[in-house]
Amino acid sequence: MSLEPMALDALHRKRNAKWSTFAPDVLGMGIAEMDYHLAPPIRARLASLLADERTGYPMRGPVGLMADVSDSFTRRMARVFGWRADPAGNVLCVDLLQAISACLAAFSDPGDGVLIQTPCYPAFLIALDQGRRVLHDVPLLDTPTGFRADPDPGASLARRGLSPRILLLCQPHNPTGRVFSRDELAPYMRLAEARDMVIVSDEIHADLVFAPARHQPLAQMFPEAAERIVTLYSATKSFNTPGLRCGMIHFGAPALLERFRARVPECLLGLPSTGAMEATLAAWEECDDWLAALMHRLDTQRHRLTDTLRAADPRLRCHLPESTYFLWLDARDAGLPGGPARFLLERAKLGVNDGAAFGPGWDGFVRFNFATTPALFDDLCARLTRALTESS
Ligand SMILES: Cc1ncc(COP(=O)(O)O)c(C=O)c1O
């Protein structure tokens, strides 16, 4: 199954945030979605849904569409990652940001701290802010071979007198593209146990991992801690359906789900639409070939973007991402006028994410989304090279 690029005028007609945030002459290379046509099985499902006018309420209960998605999640975790996720722990939601906010409400109180490795997905900080929770950040460490988890998060927190109630992990990691090893995460798991913290593991990028790196769900990596782990996953990132809205929350033990239910009414999670659930089923059951083609394209582009940036200005620093379609660039030494995000917007007509949104102390960095078509990717590299070589 091949990956079909979308033409630029079709992208502009999508009326999505990625292609509507900036002026038409700007390439939107920030917001996390991709510039390819949907996988044919997803398109076919959505077309047949419309043909049959299936716009009624989906069935709830053990024989309905929601149960199908739940079963499909459990099957996929076993088939792809070798993890046995008990279906009794599965709860559908509309999106993962909702799931994160719900977990904050369920497992902490206003004013409580949440441990997050920074830089982090900016919406984590929005969820904290809206929920009146406090960021207890433990920054990743930049090493010659890539970003690494701080090996002693307890000391980092103790120096500041911080005692978080929740650990919110992102694995694989947005924005650095790291896939953390078991050894790196072990100190965080020990800390969570010592302080009786709930761990929310956002694994939305689990399908987007480049070999030889390999994703292992946290609850599988640390089965002894499963009773405190909430795993979040969805098809929306890997299969480019983020506007449809469907996500999965998996609770590692009945008691954890019980605590969640006691604080979060079921109605607050809403109900994913029929289309979102059908698209999720098609993605998880019928799109392996499409995903392989996607990873092949992203692999080529992660190498080329890294090489292009390094060649354009040796003061720019970046690591080859092990996962995701993001590249995290350290431009602090390049002295780009106005900061890198503004410089790239004004001089290269490229819309990227400003590092300042990814946590305190990350200004001077930017995040690129390189999941675009071959033609637009060539254009991205040409614009970068032109603007950066002119300024260096
Ligand atoms: C780590 C992470 N979590 C969650 C989301 C958003 O998921 P949703 O659209 O289901 O809220 C994103 C989107 O980029 C993400 O990168």
Side-chain angles (χ1 to χ4, degrees), residues 166-289:
I166 292 180
L167 165 59
L168 175 52
L169 273 180
C170 184
Q171 161 84 332
H173 188 251
N174 172 4
T176 64
R178 264 312 308 288
V179 180
F180 299 113
S181 68
R182 191 179 193 286
D183 284 353
E184 273 177 294
L185 293 177
Y188 293 78
M189 307 308 285
R190 284 196 293 273
L191 185 73
E193 194 190 347
R195 304 204 178 167
D196 197 19
M197 291 155 69
V198 168
I199 303 163
V200 179
S201 183
D202 181 339
E203 303 184 10
I204 196 170
H205 296 284
D207 298 306
L208 302 174
V209 174
F210 303 101
R214 212 170 66 82
H215 177 74
Q216 239 194 317
L218 192 76
Q220 180 201 32
M221 218 185 236
F222 296 96
E224 67 284 3
E227 65 193 23
R228 63 176 72 254
I229 297 177
V230 182
T231 305
L232 308 181
Y233 181 71
S234 86
T236 61
K237 210 71 1 191
S238 331
F239 299 93
N240 210 28
T241 54
L244 293 183
R245 326 306 287 156
C246 177
M248 179 58 72
I249 317 177
H250 176 83
F251 295 86
L256 197 59
L257 174 54
E258 198 45 51
R259 274 176 71 189
F260 181 84
R261 289 263 190 251
R263 286 252 196 144
V264 179
E266 205 173 332
C267 292
L268 268 187
L269 292 182
L271 192 62
S273 70
T274 303
M277 290 192 279
E278 288 287 3
T280 296
L281 287 173
W284 287 347
E285 313 267 343
E286 298 169 39
C287 292
D288 287 1
D289 292 352

Side-chain angles (χ1 to χ4, degrees), residues 32 94-98 100 121 124 170 172 174 202 204-205 234 236-237 242 245-247 325-326 367:
V94 170
D95 66 63
L96 295 197
L97 194 54
Q98 171 197 47
I100 290 165
Y121 170 49
F124 283 3
C170 184
N174 172 4
D202 181 339
I204 196 170
H205 296 284
S234 86
T236 61
K237 210 71 1 191
R245 326 306 287 156
C246 177
Y325 45 71
F326 303 128
R367 188 189 74 172

